[in-house]
Amino acid sequence: MITSDQIRAARAMLRWSGKDLAEKTGLGFSTLMRLESLDGVPATHAKTLEVIEKTFENAGIEFIGTPDDGPGVRLRK
């Protein structure tokens, strides 16, 4: 699972606005902003987090660490 911090960091790394992420995932803007505002792994459906994670991975983001140990993001080369 990805964390709220990783969602925010990945979006910033790609220079995507919240609206960009909403368009690319098909999820609601307000839903995404709520998920980003939480601490740790957001309390939502696992499918929602999978959609966000896959969208970022397709854009070149790699999720590193675990929610409990060094969660982060980096760009794949």
Side-chain angles (χ1 to χ4, degrees):
M1 288 289 148
I2 58 174
T3 67
S4 295
D5 289 338
Q6 286 175 304
I7 295 170
R8 282 192 307 277
R11 191 166 62 78
M13 190 169 279
L14 293 171
R15 296 185 180 166
W16 287 359
S17 68
K19 184 178 176 183
D20 293 332
L21 182 57
E23 290 173 359
K24 293 174 187 309
T25 61
L27 299 170
F29 173 80
S30 60
T31 298
L32 292 167
M33 295 302 98
R34 179 180 55 80
L35 296 177
E36 283 191 9
S37 71
L38 302 172
D39 289 327
V41 176
T44 190
H45 297 286
K47 289 285 184 191
T48 300
L49 293 178
E50 288 173 11
V51 167
I52 296 168
E53 186 172 0
K54 289 294 178 195
T55 299
F56 281 135
E57 288 174 343
N58 289 339
I61 294 291
E62 182 179 349
F63 293 93
I64 57 176
T66 68
D68 298 322
D69 184 26
V73 297
R74 63 181 171 209
L75 282 172
R76 283 192 312 252
K77 289 190 175 189

